[in-house]
Amino acid sequence: MRRFATERAKRLLFGSLLASRSPPSAFLCSSPPAAAAMDPAAGVVTVDTINPKVLKCEYAVRGEIVSHAQRLQQELQDKPGSHPFDEILYCNIGNPQSLGQQPVTFFREVLALCDHPSLLDKSETHALFSADAIARAWQILDVIPGRATGAYSHKLLIRQGIKGLRDAIAAGIADRDGFPANPDDIFLTDGASPAVHMMMQLLIRSEKDGILCPIPQYPLYSASIALHGGSLVPYYLDESTGWGLEISELKKQLEDARSKGITVRALVVINPGNPTGQVLAEENQREIVNFCKNEGLVLLADEVYQENIYVDDKKFNSFKKITRSMGYSDDEIPLVSFQSVSKGYYGECGKRGGYMEVTGFNAGVREQIYKVASVNLCSNISGQILASLVMNPPKVGDESYESFNAEKNGILSSLARRAKALEDAFNSLEGVSCNKAEGAMYLFPRLRLPQKAIAAAKAVNAAPDAFYARRLLDATGIVVVPGSGFGQVPGTWHVRCTILPQEDKIPAIISRLKAFHEAFMEEFRG
């Protein structure tokens, strides 16, 4: 029954994006089943009686394929040799440290000292920790109320985050962009995801409010829009031009939504792209800013992969920098920029740190954002500290600078090599094409599957790319995410594969992938 409910949600959320399947008529009824009515305890909470917005919500990155992978992993532990592989290779999610990436030493030194400040009073600490890490820890502790990382940070009305840490982040933004940043515009959050939810909660009033989202998109956006009762207005990235964002497509989808009575409130732009890996050109960003200005849209800029750039001819430019360089002041363009400690070269997903920088909203709206932030009391202090470190790492002249830079460049150069190796591998496969990963942590290759494979997928009520991903997992232990979970042009099929497995594992992944694909294509050929 759950499957039919979620398929109904897919159809409502994506419309023509995903295959339509009819739910059983019971789900169209407002009355609970008769058996539940006779037994009050059984009918207290059922799938029929929970919030329908939850049923509409899906998150493919941790969907059915991943659940199956976890079952296989348990089987390998319980019965070694029970499958034709000896480990599960999780290429489904941007979780670097779970796949062996080491944390950055300077960041962890500062965190350790802040969490256990009595270490600062011990003489041996100076032999174990760098001088600049010790100095930074003292600096941070001095701005934390009570010097207590285990306390709420809402003392002295700082529910949007500790003021001294927001000062550091604002200084880092100003360094990055060449334009000033106001710490009062910064709201510290448990990663970027709560910030996205907060803005959807603010902007969406009913299903008549729409949010323009890229397709393919990171499922956080479709899920958040569904949970808050809005409408996803899709705009398609152009795969043939390296996942280009065309203004003509934005205008077309905006006009179509408005013709259906939908009030489009905001435009989501993910740069660098997830799952597509493209990096926007500066001129394209200027066009996007002008589009939002002319159409009265809030610009929601997902910039969590800003450090992940792998090509020499592209660089990251924040939308804050672009708007200011165009001459727009703080109050002319409603702009919300999201950043996270989970990505980049730091990969601190479990620390749950991030922020949003909110500009262009009037005082009354800002007060409401502050109120919503206050409901959550505060984001975790370790995440707040880490966000300040990410935006203000060691600088030239600091004791840790050379070792920090070596760690950072080592991680990013390795990611670039992994991206290139996997890109070449996908492009070598029959019927597969893969655009260059200019940035972020993913490849999104297109699968041109034989008709027999598509028919076999239909026979088991699966999307063809989900069918392929399940077969790949069962044969090789490699976990990828079906493209249908991100949205795609109807009639095309993709998978998302991270570039995060450690570099020494990439050859084995490529070898398994090639062997599987050749066998799969041969099985369903002709």
Side-chain angles (χ1 to χ4, degrees):
M1 297 290 278
R2 279 181 202 272
R3 187 179 75 248
F4 288 112
T6 53
E7 293 303 335
R8 177 170 176 254
K10 282 184 183 178
R11 191 175 74 255
L12 292 172
L13 182 59
F14 287 104
S16 62
L17 283 178
L18 301 175
S20 175
R21 303 183 183 102
S22 299
S25 58
F27 280 86
L28 302 179
C29 299
S30 58
S31 302
M38 290 186 290
D39 182 355
V44 170
V45 180
T46 70
V47 173
D48 293 306
T49 62
I50 64 173
N51 187 339
K53 294 171 187 174
V54 174
L55 295 178
K56 291 182 183 180
C57 169
E58 292 194 339
Y59 190 67
V61 174
R62 295 188 181 92
E64 189 275 331
I65 295 290
V66 180
S67 297
H68 182 53
Q70 291 167 342
R71 289 192 294 270
L72 294 179
Q73 186 170 27
Q74 188 61 51
E75 290 171 10
L76 285 172
Q77 291 175 359
D78 295 342
K79 289 183 61 179
S82 57
H83 293 285
F85 44 85
D86 56 8
E87 67 175 328
I88 301 295
L89 294 166
Y90 287 97
C91 299
N92 62 298
I93 192 167
N95 192 12
Q97 292 185 26
S98 74
L99 294 171
Q101 181 173 309
Q102 294 302 300
V104 175
T105 303
F106 176 80
F107 296 161
R108 287 302 184 89
E109 285 188 351
V110 176
L111 283 173
L113 292 168
C114 288
D115 277 338
H116 196 16
S118 64
L119 291 174
L120 292 164
D121 298 323
K122 298 181 182 298
S123 58
E124 56 264 46
T125 295
H126 292 272
L128 296 171
F129 293 83
S130 61
D132 52 337
I134 292 171
R136 186 72 69 92
W138 275 119
Q139 180 185 346
I140 289 171
L141 287 168
D142 282 344
V143 302
I144 296 176
R147 293 184 173 177
T149 60
Y152 290 139
S153 71
H154 68 190
K155 186 178 179 182
L156 303 177
L157 298 178
I158 48 176
R159 290 179 177 88
Q160 68 190 90
I162 294 166
K163 174 63 164 60
L165 301 181
R166 288 186 284 117
D167 287 341
I169 291 169
I173 293 171
D175 259 3
R176 181 195 67 192
D177 294 343
F179 294 93
N182 184 347
D184 290 337
D185 293 336
I186 294 166
F187 289 76
L188 290 165
T189 53
D190 289 324
S193 298
V196 170
H197 283 298
M198 199 181 304
M199 292 313 302
M200 295 304 175
Q201 193 172 18
L202 182 85
L203 294 170
I204 294 171
R205 299 163 296 184
S206 73
E207 71 279 357
K208 289 296 185 180
D209 283 334
I211 307 293
L212 271 163
C213 282
I215 298 298
Q217 54 96 29
Y218 176 43
L220 164 66
Y221 290 97
S222 55
S224 186
I225 292 166
L227 282 173
H228 295 293
S231 295
L232 185 147
V233 179
Y235 68 88
Y236 291 90
L237 302 177
D238 187 351
E239 186 169 10
S240 67
T241 61
W243 300 111
L245 194 165
E246 304 294 337
I247 300 299
S248 59
E249 170 68 6
L250 291 179
K251 290 179 177 177
K252 173 187 170 186
Q253 298 299 342
L254 177 65
E255 291 168 3
D256 182 61
R258 286 174 172 169
S259 73
K260 296 173 181 174
I262 294 174
T263 300
V264 179
R265 307 298 310 279
L267 167 68
V268 173
V269 179
I270 307 173
N271 180 45
N274 176 10
T276 45
Q278 83 284 7
V279 178
L280 292 177
E282 186 173 345
E283 182 54 38
N284 196 191
Q285 289 183 267
R286 292 176 180 271
E287 294 173 340
I288 292 165
V289 169
N290 281 329
F291 173 78
C292 288
K293 172 67 173 172
N294 294 336
E295 300 295 346
L297 301 178
V298 177
L299 177 52
L300 302 175
D302 183 329
E303 299 176 340
V304 303
Y305 297 99
Q306 59 189 258
E307 296 282 358
N308 298 96
I309 309 293
Y310 309 126
V311 290
D312 294 333
D313 60 339
K314 292 286 184 76
K315 62 174 289 189
F316 170 78
N317 289 293
S318 74
F319 272 101
K320 169 82 175 300
K321 176 182 177 180
I322 295 296
T323 57
R324 299 300 172 265
S325 68
M326 293 172 70
Y328 290 118
S329 64
D330 278 1
D331 59 356
E332 288 186 273
I333 299 281
L335 168 65
V336 184
S337 306
F338 304 107
Q339 168 64 318
S340 171
V341 306
S342 299
K343 310 304 177 186
Y345 58 88
Y346 14 91
E348 294 277 11
C349 300
K351 296 299 183 185
R352 308 311 302 135
Y355 68 83
M356 62 179 179
E357 184 185 16
V358 179
T359 58
F361 292 85
N362 66 40
V365 174
R366 290 173 63 88
E367 181 62 30
Q368 297 307 309
I369 298 173
Y370 179 81
K371 180 176 70 177
V372 173
S374 299
V375 171
N376 296 320
L377 295 181
C378 75
S379 59
N380 80 87
I381 306 303
S382 293
Q384 293 190 39
I385 293 170
L386 197 48
S388 77
L389 296 173
V390 160
M391 296 307 292
N392 258 298
K395 294 178 172 56
V396 176
D398 292 342
E399 181 182 319
S400 296
Y401 177 75
E402 288 189 10
S403 60
F404 164 80
N405 222 33
E407 288 180 66
K408 172 184 173 180
N409 292 336
I411 291 168
L412 291 174
S413 60
S414 176
L415 287 170
R417 290 191 297 271
R418 286 176 255 174
K420 178 60 175 169
L422 287 166
E423 173 197 328
D424 289 346
F426 279 117
N427 280 321
S428 73
L429 302 179
E430 178 187 355
V432 178
S433 59
C434 183
N435 282 326
K436 180 186 292 291
E438 298 176 337
M441 295 177 171
Y442 316 99
L443 294 164
F444 200 65
R446 180 175 176 179
L447 311 175
R448 293 170 176 83
L449 300 175
Q451 283 302 313
K452 283 179 67 176
I454 294 172
K458 184 177 181 181
V460 294
N461 200 33
D465 48 12
F467 179 76
Y468 181 93
R470 175 66 179 256
R471 291 285 297 264
L472 174 66
L473 172 58
D474 285 337
T476 68
I478 298 171
V479 188
V480 296
V481 187
S484 45
F486 299 88
Q488 51 200 346
V489 172
T492 67
W493 310 106
H494 301 77
V495 292
R496 189 187 78 163
C497 178
T498 75
I499 60 173
L500 293 176
Q502 288 301 289
E503 202 163 356
D504 61 356
K505 290 187 179 292
I506 297 296
I509 291 173
I510 291 172
S511 176
R512 292 189 203 181
L513 176 65
K514 286 184 174 181
F516 163 78
H517 188 80
E518 289 172 4
F520 182 92
M521 296 298 281
E522 190 60 37
E523 178 181 352
F524 292 103
R525 194 183 307 282

